[in-house]
Every structure is written in structure tokens, then in C-alpha cells.
Amino acid sequence: MRRTQCHSGHRAGVRRASAALAVALGLVGTVAAAPAAPSAPSAFAIPTSAESGPELAAAAQAAAGPSFRRVDIPMKDGVVLKANVFSPAPGTPGADAQGRGRYPVIVQPASWGQNDLEYVLQGKQLAAAGYVVVTYTVRGFWLSGGEVDVAGPRDVADISAVIDWAIARTPTDPQRIGMTGLSLGGGLTLMGAAADPRIKAVAAMSGWGDLVDSLYSGETRHLQAVAALTAVQAPTGRESAEFQRMLTDLFADRNIPDVIRWARTRSPGAYVDRINAHGTAVFLAGAWGDSIFNPSQITAFYQKLTGPKRIELRPGDHATQEVSGLLGLDNATWASALRWFDEHLKGSGRTSRPPVELEVRPGGAHESYPSWQAVSSRTERLQLGRADVFGTGVLSGGTTGSDATAGTGWRTSVVGGMNSGADGGITELSGLLDQLVQLPPVVALPLLPRWAGAVWQSAPYATPRHIRGVVRLHTTVTASAPQGTVIGYLYDVNALGVGKLISHAPQGWSGKAPGRAFPLDIPLFATAYDLPAGHRLALVLDTQDPLYGGRTPLGSRVSFGSPDDDPSEVVLPLR
């Protein structure tokens, strides 16, 4: 490791309630503008040496910079995708060794709700670096034909059709094909890697490896994220009947097995064996606070890859880390993606960089590791104990000291369906604030109502704790209803009792006998966080969070207890 400092009234109502979220998403949704008038595709003729002209003319062309044109790309089912093409100026370094003037190509599907103008500034920069760039508006959005397919079979077939078109109509080297994209484009990039073996290298930014885990992790509907995406899609997208049905069922909490099957067919992780067989070089970038595609699902996907791979995770929310690059500004993620393509499409030499790079919260230190497994080197177990007279349980173990109230044989109860004041924040906004001003969701621990949320707190730590990876909670639950949801929150608490959210995650259950205890495990979302010396750790468990569609009936009882043979504990992965 190297460490350096640094469809119905209901759906309409959901859309109206998500207006503020749509504004936030729009801020990071890029510089999308109304597309220009459509233009007919034009053939690209590769000049022969006899047609090249004087060297002076070629030098003048190179100095003029990359060319740009708007095109229509027909799909096999008759749908036409709106696209634009950047081509390197003649003489730009990076052409094929055979002297045919062909360059590696990067195919860029636009983000959710955006169009092909989203990547204009990046396209110009990539073309200047010696790449043909084909950016297209995904079917169902803006002036592209068809209906929204959400990385389904039509979207995936479109990727190969765009590659075919690029090979035939641009100076594309068919042996050097890459893809990159943001959000929906990131998911499509990984689906393309699974479907088309011609794709040699990909860079997926703020994408997903597991759409099921993104929409329904912990058997819990991520309703605020889905509502925000729905609001962003509504003005520019045309929903298919299938997509409408999936949204309606998800919001109504019905036919969930069908929703899961639909999402699984759109999950790159379901086809990771194909990506591995193709040997595709995969670069992944994401944010610790991504409220749409959580970091745990992308780190799990990363670990399944066996070919060339790299992952970078930084503070932020969905797409907030990459947005400055779309504005043409220096951006670490886009710079890493370009280096990835240079290495794997141009053969500029393999990197000596370790494949895992993390930016640690809250100080911004950078760490590199040889593998995800190396991110944590040990674990520390903290037992949950009986509550004191103030309603706060003890979190003890490791070097935090012990307490007579810690251990087994206790039970803490809360009223179900109530928000304790602890929550995971607001989609898009909370992670962005953490990125910009190091302000994640905050609570005042002494003020949390113990009847709505159970609280455990450690003694102050004498030395810092470097938390890396997935924090895991195990406890025993006894509930008065057969179904329910618990959300676990881990906080960094200062001397004033103010807690900053380190990580959280929901976990649901169903079909349990009322009044009968059962074990519950909650893996929190992956993180990299440094707890300062003198601070405490706090765990909060409650049953309602605005981010999620919980199933705990209002007014029911949920108890957390620790039988003598099954102690409740938090397992911290530490560097």
C-alpha cells in the first residue's frame, strides 16, 4: 500500500415530490442541450498516399484540430440514434502502424436523460489525443427513436450496431475498440463488454455492476433514488410498457420477484464470465456516497473480474466526481480513463500503478492497494451492550475498553415505522456536500429519541481508526409484525456529541413469526474513513428512512437483543 497526504396518480405524485431531486440531478447531469437538426450520415473515405497532398497541407489540417459532425445511425430494427463523431486531425499521433490512418475508437452512450452533446468537450479532447469518438443518444431519449430500454437487449444490440457503423463510416481501427460512459452510459459500457468481444477496453464511471443491488439492496426498495431517476427521465424519455410496469410495481411494492428478474438481466455482474472470457480491460470509477448505485455493488463486481482491471473510489455522490470533466476542466477520473485507454488500446506500456486507488474521507488522503482484499488487513469486533439510564447502549471491545453492561442477555425496543432523525441523507445532495465541504449527513446523538432509534456508543478512541471496506453488523431481532426493515448507521462522534455519517445500509425481512427472535445481518455500504483520536463510534438502528421504502408497520414493535449464545456485534475492517 502507498499512502500520501493531500403511472397513475401515485406515479405522478412521486414525480412532483421529486422535483427538488431532479434539480440536483440536473446539476450533475451535464451540459445537455437540445440537439441540432438531424443530418444524414456521410461516408468516410480514408485517403491513400497519392491523395494525401503536400506535407504542408497535412500540417495545416492537424493544426486545425479534430473534425466534428452530427450523424444519424440506423439500428437493425429501424430505430435511428442521434450521434456525433469526432475524428483526429490527419497526422495526429496514434494511427495504426500500417499507415492506413485508422485510430482507436471510443464509443460513448449518453447518460440517463441526456443526449449526445453531453460529451462534446470530452470528445474534442479525446480526438485531439488520437481517438475517434462516437457519442450517441441512447434509444428512447431526446431525438433518438425507440423507447427507454434501461440497458436491456435492445440497448445492448445498439452498442454493436454503433461499432459496426463506426468501423464502416469513420477512421476506426477495428482492432482497437473502447467504450466509456457515465451513469447509464457506465452500465451500458459494462453490458457492451459482456456482449461484444471486439471491445478491448472500457471505462465505466458511476455505473452499476448489479442493478438488483442498486434498486433493492438489503431487500429494500431504494425509492428516493428511483423517484429521482424517474423525474429526470420524464421530460426527455419515452418509457416502454415494460419499464412502466416495473416502475409501477416497484413503487407499489408488488411483483418484486418480476422486478428483480428484470433488473438481473440488466446487470453486468450476471455476465461477468463473458467479460472475463473476452479479456476486456475494465476501469471502474465511483463515489463513496453514490445514492443511486451504491459503492458495495461496484466493489463486488470488481472482485469478480479476472482480466486487467482498475477501480478508483472518491468522496461524492452519483456522477458528481466526473462532472467537472464534462465541462472541459481537469478531472482526475477522466484523466485516469484516458490513461487506461492509452495503455490498453494504444499499447503505451502497462502501468506500474496498483489497481485499487481510494480517496479517504474526510481528509482526502490517497491510498493505493494491490487488490480489494488488501484494503483491510485486520478486523476489530465491538459488542453491543445493554442501554444505560440515558438509553444509550455500550459499544465495547478492541481498544475502546469494556463495560459491565456489555455482552449478552439484553434487549432494546423501538417503535416501528418512525424516523429517529438518523438517515442516509438526500439523493445527490448529501454525497456532493461530503465531496465539496466534508459535510455528510449529521446528527446530534444526545437528541435522538431512543423510542424511535436504538443507540450504542463506544468510549473515545485513544488512537485513530482507519476503517476500510464493509462494516458488518450482526444482531438478533424480535418483531411484532412478520415483515419489517432496519437501517443501520455508523457515526463518527466528536466531543460535543455531533455525529457524522460514516456509512449506512438497510436490511429487510418478511415471513417471520411475530414475537419469535431471528438473527439479522446488515453489511453497511463500503467506505474508507479515518476516525480521529478522541472521537467515538456510534451505531444507530431505526426502522424508517426517507431514502427507502421500508416495510415496518407504523406503531409495531421491533426489539434488538443479544442472547447468551449469539452476541450482537459490529465488525470493523481496519487498515
Side-chain angles (χ1 to χ4, degrees), residues 40-364:
S42 57
F44 180 88
I46 301 173
T48 65
S49 57
E51 299 169 335
S52 299
E55 293 182 4
L56 184 61
Q61 282 184 300
S67 65
F68 168 79
R69 59 193 173 110
R70 303 298 309 281
V71 299
D72 292 349
I73 304 180
M75 300 294 102
K76 293 181 179 180
D77 62 357
V79 165
V80 174
L81 303 184
K82 298 297 180 179
N84 55 57
V85 178
F86 284 94
S87 297
T92 301
D96 61 303
Q98 291 75 28
R100 296 173 299 174
R102 290 191 175 271
Y103 288 87
V105 66
I106 297 178
V107 175
Q108 295 181 315
S111 300
W112 183 258
Q114 307 304 314
N115 62 43
D116 51 285
L117 295 177
E118 176 183 21
Y119 301 117
V120 162
L121 298 178
Q122 277 296 324
K124 181 179 179 181
Q125 293 177 3
L126 288 169
Y131 292 91
V132 175
V133 180
V134 181
T135 297
Y136 68 92
T137 303
V138 177
R139 69 165 56 218
F141 290 103
W142 291 78
L143 296 182
S144 283
E147 298 175 326
V148 175
D149 194 37
V150 197
R154 293 179 180 84
D155 276 345
V156 174
D158 289 348
I159 294 169
S160 293
V162 170
I163 293 173
D164 293 340
W165 184 93
I167 292 172
R169 308 298 290 275
T170 75
T172 287
D173 184 345
Q175 303 303 315
R176 297 186 290 170
I177 296 172
M179 278 191 76
T180 188
L182 179 65
S183 187
L184 170 64
L188 284 171
T189 290
L190 296 175
M191 292 293 286
D196 196 322
R198 295 176 297 178
I199 300 172
K200 304 302 182 185
V202 297
M205 307 179 197
S206 290
W208 71 86
D210 188 337
L211 193 57
V212 178
D213 194 74
S214 299
L215 302 176
Y216 194 65
S217 74
E219 301 179 36
T220 304
R221 296 167 298 142
H222 293 216
L223 290 189
Q224 193 177 108
V226 176
L229 291 172
T230 303
V232 170
Q233 168 265 322
T236 65
R238 297 175 299 282
E239 298 172 358
S240 67
E242 180 187 39
F243 182 39
Q244 290 176 351
R245 186 171 66 255
M246 294 302 108
L247 283 176
T248 300
D249 287 347
L250 188 65
F251 284 126
D253 196 16
R254 69 183 181 220
N255 300 325
I256 296 301
D258 289 341
V259 176
I260 291 173
R261 281 191 291 271
W262 174 85
R264 185 169 292 120
T265 63
R266 289 156 167 81
S267 297
Y271 314 103
V272 70
D273 57 332
R274 300 181 189 177
I275 299 175
N276 291 334
H278 297 161
T280 313
V282 179
F283 169 79
L284 303 170
W288 296 120
D290 196 319
S291 51
I292 296 179
F293 303 132
N294 72 75
S296 287
Q297 56 85 31
I298 203 66
T299 58
F301 175 75
Y302 173 81
Q303 293 176 76
K304 296 176 183 177
L305 295 168
T306 59
K309 61 182 180 178
R310 179 173 178 79
I311 188 169
E312 296 181 3
L313 290 164
R314 299 179 173 88
D317 212 311
H318 183 67
T320 63
Q321 272 292 340
E322 301 90 352
V323 67
S324 65
L326 298 176
L327 301 175
L329 304 175
D330 290 341
N331 181 277
T333 302
W334 283 97
S336 286
L338 176 58
R339 183 184 295 186
W340 188 252
F341 288 128
D342 284 347
E343 292 167 358
H344 296 281
L345 294 182
K346 289 185 177 180
S348 61
R350 293 295 178 260
T351 179
S352 60
R353 299 179 298 164
V356 177
E357 182 175 336
L358 311 180
E359 183 175 333
V360 180
R361 305 166 53 224

Side-chain angles (χ1 to χ4, degrees), residues 509-526:
W509 68 86
S510 61
K512 300 297 184 181
R516 181 171 296 178
F518 60 91
L520 188 72
D521 293 284
I522 307 178
L524 306 188
F525 297 137

Side-chain angles (χ1 to χ4, degrees), residues 379-392:
T379 59
E380 186 173 281
R381 295 178 179 272
L382 305 178
Q383 288 192 343
L384 280 63
R386 184 180 296 109
D388 59 22
V389 294
F390 300 105
T392 300

